[in-house]
Amino acid sequence: MASEELNGRPLSFDALKLKETAISTDQSTVMGSDAGEEDGAKVTCFTEDMNNTTFHIQIIKLHKQIYAWIGCNSAKFGHLYAAAPTRPSNTVSVTSILGGASDNTGSSIARRLALKCGLNIILACNIPKNSPLLEADAEKILVQKLINLGYTRPKTSLPASMVGVH
């Protein structure tokens, strides 16, 4: 096999290794006829390293709905869940669409995301079963990104059932 070169210098595998630090890559794309159009799909993909675990995350913001995918150390699709806020009680209904019947890792994340965003959530994740620390890390990263993108409700926004309750 021929030696790979960059700018006339031979490349070695060791030179290409990444440091084990907090590394984040971020790519965002707006799809639709007009970038300012509200109905266009907004796609955000990024990778975040936290506590020696690599999380690959994709967020697709659609009209009144968010699709999110969390990959833990791989690009495997994992289980698929749907969560939707219900009225008038402002609770959230969650169902498993693909796999995950005995595993509640993704369903609990989907439920909390629907509460935080007030939107329908479709969540795919492959976080290992019985890994609450990985689940917490992945959810923390995802929620922080949703807040930065402006996809969550403001903290002052209380559900109608909570207004006037002491």
Side-chain angles (χ1 to χ4, degrees):
M1 183 177 214
S3 171
E4 298 290 311
E5 290 189 7
L6 177 65
N7 296 332
R9 294 181 305 203
L11 288 178
S12 68
F13 179 75
D14 293 332
L16 298 175
K17 285 185 181 177
L18 295 176
K19 293 180 181 178
E20 286 191 26
T21 58
I23 298 171
S24 179
T25 60
D26 197 342
Q27 298 177 350
S28 298
T29 307
V30 176
M31 303 175 90
S33 59
D34 181 8
E37 186 177 321
E38 187 64 30
D39 292 334
K42 295 172 185 84
V43 180
T44 303
C45 302
F46 63 100
T47 298
E48 186 84 31
D49 285 343
M50 181 182 267
N51 299 329
N52 296 325
T53 303
T54 302
F55 295 102
H56 305 284
I57 299 177
Q58 180 181 49
I59 302 167
I60 301 174
K61 170 71 167 78
L62 303 165
H63 182 69
K64 296 185 180 181
Q65 179 174 308
I66 294 174
Y67 165 83
W69 168 74
I70 303 169
C72 180
N73 288 328
S74 76
K76 183 179 169 188
F77 185 74
H79 302 298
L80 185 66
Y81 302 91
T86 58
R87 293 187 183 134
S89 63
N90 289 321
T91 59
V92 173
S93 296
V94 181
T95 190
S96 173
I97 298 174
L98 183 63
S102 63
D103 172 11
N104 66 359
T105 299
S107 65
S108 59
I109 293 174
R111 178 183 313 279
R112 289 187 292 268
L113 288 177
L115 283 170
K116 190 166 238 6
C117 297
L119 299 171
N120 296 332
I121 301 290
I122 304 296
L123 176 71
C125 71
N126 74 342
I127 298 171
K129 229 176 170 178
N130 301 321
S131 300
L133 294 177
L134 288 178
E135 178 183 353
D137 287 346
E139 186 173 353
K140 179 180 178 181
I141 293 166
L142 181 56
V143 167
Q144 186 60 48
K145 189 60 160 183
L146 291 172
I147 290 169
N148 291 343
L149 292 170
Y151 296 163
T152 58
R153 290 192 277 204
K155 285 189 176 187
T156 57
S157 171
L158 291 175
S161 62
M162 296 298 290
V163 175
V165 176
H166 297 290

